[in-house]
Amino acid sequence: MELHKYYIKTADTLVLIAQELGLTVSELKEYHNNSSRPHEWIKADNTLPTWSDYIIIPNSVEILKKNKEDLLSTEKVILTQKEIKESQYTILQTIDLQVAGSSMIDSETEIVWGFNKIKKEDGFYGDIIQKSHQVKYIKSIYRQFAEYMQKFNKPLEHLNVELFPEGHIKSLTNQEEIRQAWNVLKESLKPELGNTLEEKNMIEGGDKDFSNTLPLIKNNVLYTLFFNDVFYEYTELNIFAELEKQEYVSQIFANEKVTLSKKRKVEREGNIVKIKFYSESDSNKNGHLREIYNTKLKDFLQEPYSYSLTWSLEYHFDFLQGKMLLCHSKIKEQASNKYSHLTEHKIELTKINKNG
């Protein structure tokens, strides 16, 4: 592997070199130390090596400076994946299902994830450890059921994922660990289970989902939000650009697919990049939902079909670090005025309390 060198000038400090090359001090220091011998390392106080007249850098000086110019450009934004260490995200999830004027499901859940992302020669890998999962609010009649169903999330409390360059999940690298965690959970649940058809279906569903978990993850809104395709070079800033249509799994029509039109707007404020998406149902593509409504729901709800789905989504990224700071997603779907479903997620980078 070719080593790229930056030759140290008299007045240079690690901070000045990092600024010149468009790198962070930590990534410059880490790259040099990983590529050199101990006596050539940059010290803990960021003192440059005295036994060498150069430091080793990730690419040529010319390319790094060109990358810095691209980063500082007001005409485009290049958001790239980078390693992320010891990050923690707090996720607030709210769900509200309204039927005929009554709230059937109304819940608020707080989840805390520890997250790391490392780079290997073949790409980036993300590691999620669920630190807590708390149902902060739910109607009392559903609490016992919700707490019981929460047990079925235990096999997903640790996920290691391989990522595509754009950001979404390519594969699960700890699939066997997930399957074994499910088998342990299944054994522990035996004393609580009866012999009903519903329970048999739940166990069979768990056997399927936790033996091949990738489809389950890809259909979960939270994971698709956290690992979305956002790492691109954006050349259209401050305007809404039309994107390809997308599919969404309906929450009120028994997992039917809904076709959405989609647009995106990218803004930059200093080192913060804001990526905004807005999607809505395409009336020309979702005629099958009208048939389902008229057949199964119209007589009960006593009102005509008036389907709509809107999805607003916004990300804030520190683009120098490639780190998500915030994600706010709100999805409202309704079949008529009396039948609607709201799902909202707010994901925020939070400080880690190392004292516990």
Side-chain angles (χ1 to χ4, degrees):
M1 184 178 75
E2 181 183 0
L3 291 180
H4 299 282
K5 301 175 182 179
Y6 174 93
Y7 286 90
I8 302 169
K9 300 185 289 291
T10 302
D12 275 338
T13 65
L14 188 64
V15 172
L16 290 175
I17 297 171
Q19 290 174 347
E20 181 181 350
L21 300 179
L23 301 170
T24 65
V25 169
S26 59
E27 65 185 341
L28 179 57
K29 178 179 177 180
E30 184 174 346
Y31 191 89
H32 170 80
N33 287 354
N34 287 340
S35 306
S36 59
R37 294 169 292 184
H39 69 278
E40 299 171 328
W41 285 352
I42 298 169
K43 296 179 182 179
D45 64 358
N46 292 339
T47 303
L48 294 170
T50 56
W51 294 96
S52 176
D53 58 354
Y54 61 83
I55 59 173
I56 300 171
I57 55 179
N59 215 318
S60 69
V61 171
E62 292 75 16
I63 290 177
L64 291 174
K65 287 185 175 182
K66 176 63 168 59
N67 291 342
K68 178 186 175 182
E69 289 178 9
D70 288 340
L71 287 173
L72 296 176
S73 171
T74 58
E75 298 179 355
K76 63 180 176 180
V77 167
I78 303 174
L79 188 61
T80 58
Q81 294 204 63
K82 295 189 178 182
E83 292 195 325
I84 297 172
K85 296 183 179 179
E86 296 186 9
S87 292
Q88 181 170 287
Y89 288 89
T90 299
I91 302 157
L92 192 64
Q93 173 183 280
T94 57
I95 297 173
D96 186 17
L97 174 63
Q98 297 277 338
V99 180
S102 298
S103 180
M104 301 300 292
I105 299 175
D106 183 11
S107 68
E108 183 178 289
T109 304
E110 184 181 87
I111 306 166
V112 177
W113 279 356
F115 180 64
N116 293 276
K117 181 159 61 174
I118 63 171
K119 184 178 183 180
K120 298 181 181 179
E121 290 186 1
D122 58 343
F124 283 91
Y125 291 79
D127 188 83
I128 292 175
I129 295 178
Q130 181 175 286
K131 295 188 173 184
S132 68
H133 187 292
Q134 178 186 5
V135 179
K136 300 186 72 175
Y137 171 78
I138 192 169
K139 284 190 173 183
S140 58
I141 59 173
Y142 297 118
R143 178 166 289 278
Q144 187 174 0
F145 177 72
E147 290 175 349
Y148 176 71
M149 292 303 297
Q150 188 175 319
K151 295 179 181 180
F152 286 81
N153 287 325
K154 284 187 174 295
L156 304 181
E157 288 181 350
H158 178 224
L159 292 179
N160 193 272
V161 296
E162 181 184 6
L163 302 172
F164 283 104
E166 298 81 11
H168 67 286
I169 297 174
K170 184 177 183 180
S171 68
L172 285 172
T173 59
N174 68 328
Q175 176 61 71
E176 181 59 22
E177 176 188 333
I178 294 169
R179 188 186 67 80
Q180 291 178 5
W182 163 245
N183 288 334
V184 171
L185 174 63
K186 186 166 60 173
E187 287 298 313
S188 72
L189 289 174
K190 279 185 177 180
E192 302 179 44
L193 295 174
N195 196 34
T196 66
L197 179 61
E198 290 79 6
E199 288 170 319
K200 288 181 178 179
N201 288 339
M202 286 169 59
I203 294 300
E204 290 177 3
D207 287 338
K208 176 183 177 182
D209 289 339
F210 297 125
S211 295
N212 179 24
T213 312
L214 188 58
L216 176 69
I217 297 298
K218 286 188 172 182
N219 285 327
N220 185 295
V221 172
L222 176 55
Y223 294 102
T224 57
L225 290 174
F226 198 83
F227 296 106
N228 202 349
D229 282 344
V230 292
F231 295 101
Y232 292 111
E233 177 178 326
Y234 299 101
T235 56
E236 294 180 288
L237 304 184
N238 305 314
I239 61 169
F240 272 108
E242 296 290 336
L243 303 176
E244 291 184 4
K245 294 185 184 298
Q246 69 177 116
E247 283 192 338
Y248 174 79
V249 179
S250 173
Q251 300 300 302
I252 59 178
F253 281 111
N255 296 321
E256 290 288 328
K257 297 291 180 64
V258 182
T259 301
L260 305 177
S261 60
K262 185 177 181 181
K263 53 187 178 182
R264 179 190 63 214
K265 184 179 183 181
V266 180
E267 301 171 340
R268 177 177 169 183
E269 297 177 5
N271 291 340
I272 305 301
V273 174
K274 297 180 180 180
I275 306 172
K276 302 176 182 180
F277 296 93
Y278 182 77
S279 304
E280 59 184 350
S281 53
D282 186 333
S283 58
N284 296 321
K285 299 288 185 178
N286 297 302
H288 61 299
L289 302 181
R290 180 187 294 274
E291 296 177 14
I292 296 171
Y293 181 87
N294 289 337
T295 302
K296 298 182 177 181
L297 296 171
K298 186 175 181 179
D299 289 343
F300 169 70
L301 294 171
Q302 294 294 303
E303 64 177 1
Y305 171 84
S306 57
Y307 183 82
S308 68
L309 187 151
T310 58
W311 185 353
S312 59
L313 171 59
E314 181 169 339
Y315 291 96
H316 293 184
F317 274 86
D318 181 327
F319 82 100
L320 292 179
Q321 299 183 65
K323 180 182 288 188
M324 183 175 72
L325 307 177
L326 170 72
C327 170
H328 188 194
S329 168
K330 187 174 182 179
I331 306 170
K332 183 173 183 180
E333 182 182 19
Q334 70 170 44
S336 65
N337 291 330
K338 295 182 181 178
Y339 187 28
S340 64
H341 188 279
L342 176 68
T343 306
E344 189 167 3
H345 289 89
K346 190 171 184 180
I347 308 171
E348 287 189 281
L349 182 67
T350 52
K351 291 183 179 180
I352 299 175
N353 182 359
K354 295 187 177 181
N355 295 322

